[in-house]
Amino acid sequence: MEDSAKGSISGYLYQFDRAFLLLCDITDENGYISIEKVDDVAVHSENGTIIIAEQDKNSIAETGSTFQDTSKDLWRTIEIWINKIKSSRFNSKTKFYCSTNKKIPKSSLLRFMCENKSSIEIIFNKINEIKKKQEEKLIEFKKKDQKKGAHISKILSLINYALEN
């Protein structure tokens, strides 16, 4: 077993890169950036209102992608944002960004949500399609071994939370 922090450190360094880019775009003279305060990176107005909340995922893996339709990262991000909206930490004007160094497929839920901002019903339908596929996958796993499927069950729990809230 290899003990390495290069994955973790690359993720933190990525947040600083993203913070610098967002800082360059601040138009509010007294606006500011935070890292790991309310989100991975956030842009605040002078009065502290959160203008942008950003989740950043950096991967050193040669293959794969982040924020996949069935990734824990995506659904945990949505859960975190829902909780902060419910607690009034974020408001209706907060913009939500997901940033990664990996390609996000054109057919992904994340891209779909960005392209269909005005139609929550269409987004819910897409989420329900993903949920149904995961439920079917879980049933197949359970047929083979009752102990399998913990990861899928966790994702389904997060998807249900998102749909309910």
Side-chain angles (χ1 to χ4, degrees):
M1 186 166 119
E2 202 177 304
D3 188 19
S4 173
K6 64 183 173 185
S8 298
I9 193 68
S10 70
Y12 290 118
L13 292 173
Y14 185 69
Q15 289 177 342
F16 283 97
D17 286 346
R18 292 295 308 158
F20 182 69
L21 285 170
L22 289 171
L23 183 62
C24 291
D25 284 340
I26 291 179
T27 56
D28 183 344
E29 184 177 310
N30 295 312
Y32 61 96
I33 298 287
S34 67
I35 299 173
E36 291 291 341
K37 184 176 179 183
V38 295
D39 215 335
D40 288 346
V41 178
V43 177
H44 305 256
S45 67
E46 179 179 7
N47 68 3
T49 300
I50 299 161
I51 299 166
I52 296 172
E54 182 174 285
Q55 279 285 309
D56 298 320
K57 302 296 177 221
N58 184 53
S59 175
I60 60 171
E62 303 236 353
T63 60
S65 66
T66 55
F67 296 121
Q68 295 178 36
D69 290 358
T70 58
S71 75
K72 188 175 178 185
D73 285 337
L74 174 65
W75 295 104
R76 274 286 295 138
T77 294
I78 292 170
E79 177 189 40
I80 289 166
W81 287 346
I82 288 169
N83 289 337
K84 290 182 180 180
I85 290 168
K86 288 171 74 172
S87 71
S88 300
R89 188 70 178 119
F90 298 151
N91 65 37
S92 63
K93 294 183 180 179
T94 303
K95 294 179 182 176
F96 300 95
Y97 293 178
C98 291
S99 178
T100 180
N101 66 324
K102 294 292 188 177
K103 185 176 182 174
I104 298 174
K106 291 183 187 212
S107 63
S108 72
L109 173 65
L110 192 56
R111 283 191 186 263
F112 185 83
M113 289 169 68
C114 293
E115 294 165 3
N116 292 284
K117 293 177 190 167
S118 61
S119 179
I120 194 73
E121 185 178 316
I122 293 171
I123 293 169
F124 272 43
N125 289 341
K126 179 87 168 163
I127 294 171
N128 276 310
E129 286 174 23
I130 293 167
K131 177 183 169 187
K132 183 179 177 187
K133 286 179 185 173
Q134 289 303 294
E135 288 170 338
E136 291 167 356
K137 190 174 181 181
L138 182 60
I139 289 168
E140 289 304 312
F141 271 56
K142 294 283 186 187
K143 283 180 185 176
K144 295 175 187 171
D145 184 347
Q146 281 294 317
K147 295 178 184 176
K148 291 196 177 231
H151 179 75
I152 296 172
S153 293
K154 177 63 178 169
I155 300 303
L156 282 168
S157 173
L158 291 167
I159 291 172
N160 285 328
Y161 182 81
L163 288 169
E164 292 166 6
N165 291 281

